[in-house]
């Protein structure tokens, strides 16, 4: 009897089956962790389940924004007179859920993808048409030399070879813009301020400026600045806003 028990063969499990079993166990563990993470996310305060009414309200807001954008685009603009400066600094101050995708597209064409980002642009008919379309979400004006210099020296970042490069090394500037006679950060300041012949190349290399949220400088009103709101043309008063956001 003992001999029969000793000679009884062991159950053989093929290696393929063992490997599949291990994979299933690993998958089960991963799945469990994913579910736990999802439950944790659902319970977190930051996660908000939208009600159907909220989706309807957002849709209506976006459609209204599209209608208003088209109306603003048709609004007659005053003829461009020769300004003191052709340089504008544009700051995005709003635009989230209530914004239609076509409005967002115009903002993106101005490179204003984030709220409280700013860019230098050359004033012309096309730019003014874009700014009029997205007027409730931007404010702009004529920056002076001090504002330009402070922005570039403090927050200036270039995009060279698809990489973000701080404007601290003149060798990098010379490699990127040397063919245009721009070899240092002061040359960049001068080209931007004067809206020189190579303004487009310099402005293209400069990344949009990430500005600070100003305290009490913006009231969150979509009315135009001249009517007591935040948006639209501030002319020279843009310098005051820049100093608070830089």
């Amino acid at each position: 009897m003992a001999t029969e028990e000793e000679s009884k063969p062991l159950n053989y499990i093929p290696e393929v089956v063992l490997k599949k079993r291990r994979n299933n166990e690993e998958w089960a563990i991963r799945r469990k962790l994913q579910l736990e993470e999802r439950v944790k996310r659902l319970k977190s305060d930051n996660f908000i389940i939208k009600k159907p009414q909220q989706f309807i309200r957002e849709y209506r807001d976006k459609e209204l924004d599209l209608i208003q954008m088209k109306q603003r685009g048709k609004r007659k603009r005053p003829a461009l007179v020769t300004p003191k400066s052709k340089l504008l600094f544009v700051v995005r101050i709003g635009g989230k859920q209530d914004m239609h995708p076509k409005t967002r597209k115009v903002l993106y064409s101005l490179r204003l993808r984030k709220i409280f980002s700013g860019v230098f642009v050359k004033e012309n008919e096309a730019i003014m048409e874009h700014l009029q379309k997205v007027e409730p979400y931007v404010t702009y004006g004529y920056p002076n030399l001090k504002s330009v210099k402070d922005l570039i020296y403090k927050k200036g970042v270039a995009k060279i070879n698809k990489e973000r490069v701080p404007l601290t090394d003149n060798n990098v500037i010379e490699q990127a813009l040397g063919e245009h006679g721009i070899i240092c950060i002061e040359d960049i300041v001068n080209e931007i301020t004067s809206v020189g012949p190579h303004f487009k190349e310099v402005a293209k290399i400069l990344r949009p400026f990430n500005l600070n949220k100003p305290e009490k400088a913006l009231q969150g009103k979509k009315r135009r600045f001249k009517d007591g709101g935040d948006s639209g043309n501030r002319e020279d008063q843009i310098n005051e806003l820049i100093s608070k956001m830089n």
Side-chain angles (χ1 to χ4, degrees):
M1 188 73 177
T3 308
E4 287 179 6
E5 289 179 358
E6 287 174 6
S7 61
K8 190 176 180 180
L10 296 172
N11 290 330
Y12 173 73
I13 302 175
E15 188 177 347
V16 176
V17 175
L18 289 172
K19 188 175 181 181
K20 188 175 181 181
R21 188 182 294 171
R22 281 198 303 272
N23 289 339
N24 288 341
E25 288 173 355
E26 289 173 1
W27 178 86
I29 292 169
R30 285 200 305 271
R31 182 66 178 158
K32 184 183 177 185
L33 291 173
Q34 287 173 357
L35 290 172
E36 287 175 353
E37 185 63 31
R38 185 181 299 175
V39 170
K40 194 185 297 181
R41 236 180 11 249
L42 288 169
K43 289 182 178 179
S44 68
D45 294 333
N46 296 329
F47 187 84
I48 300 171
I49 298 175
K50 291 184 180 180
K51 296 179 180 179
Q53 296 90 331
Q54 191 171 351
F55 282 107
I56 293 169
R57 187 166 58 251
E58 286 179 5
Y59 173 79
R60 287 175 177 170
D61 287 344
K62 288 175 182 178
E63 289 303 305
L64 178 62
D65 178 63
L66 177 62
I67 293 168
Q68 291 174 339
M69 184 188 77
K70 288 179 178 178
Q71 290 173 344
R72 287 192 299 271
K74 292 176 183 177
R75 196 170 66 207
K76 189 176 179 180
R77 293 190 309 278
L80 273 180
V81 295
T82 305
K84 293 177 289 184
S85 169
K86 289 184 179 180
L87 178 66
L88 288 174
F89 187 69
V90 187
V91 182
R92 179 175 171 181
I93 58 173
K96 283 188 177 180
Q97 301 299 331
D98 58 345
M99 190 166 58
H100 193 274
K102 288 188 178 180
T103 309
R104 185 178 291 107
K105 187 177 180 181
V106 177
L107 284 171
Y108 282 11
S109 72
L110 293 166
R111 301 193 301 147
L112 296 171
R113 291 179 169 267
K114 297 179 180 178
I115 295 178
F116 304 134
S117 60
V119 292
F120 292 114
V121 296
K122 180 180 179 180
E123 185 182 42
N124 55 41
E125 285 287 350
I127 286 293
M128 297 310 294
E129 183 180 345
H130 282 334
L131 292 177
Q132 184 167 294
K133 285 180 178 179
V134 296
E135 191 176 59
Y137 308 108
V138 297
T139 188
Y140 56 92
Y142 304 107
N144 56 29
L145 175 60
K146 181 180 183 303
S147 293
V148 174
K149 185 175 284 191
D150 287 348
L151 281 166
I152 291 175
Y153 272 90
K154 189 173 180 180
K155 292 188 180 294
V157 175
K159 186 178 181 180
I160 300 172
N161 297 327
K162 297 183 179 180
E163 292 185 5
R164 293 170 60 90
V165 181
L167 295 176
T168 53
D169 188 348
N170 287 335
N171 291 325
V172 173
I173 296 171
E174 186 174 4
Q175 287 174 12
L177 297 166
E179 61 182 306
H180 305 302
I182 297 166
I183 59 173
C184 62
I185 192 168
E186 196 60 36
D187 288 343
I188 288 179
V189 172
N190 291 334
E191 191 70 18
I192 290 293
T193 307
S194 63
V195 192
H198 303 295
F199 173 86
K200 185 177 178 180
E201 290 81 2
V202 175
K204 187 178 179 181
I205 278 181
L206 285 175
R207 296 282 298 168
F209 295 86
N210 291 322
L211 305 170
N212 302 319
K213 183 178 179 179
E215 292 184 11
K216 300 180 181 179
L218 298 174
Q219 305 167 49
K221 296 178 181 178
K222 288 185 179 180
R223 289 201 306 271
R224 287 183 285 183
F225 181 73
K226 66 179 184 179
D227 297 328
D230 295 328
S231 66
N233 193 351
R234 293 174 177 245
E235 299 190 357
D236 293 339
Q237 292 187 56
I238 192 69
N239 295 293
E240 184 181 344
L241 183 63
I242 291 173
S243 69
K244 292 178 180 178
M245 299 183 75
N246 195 7

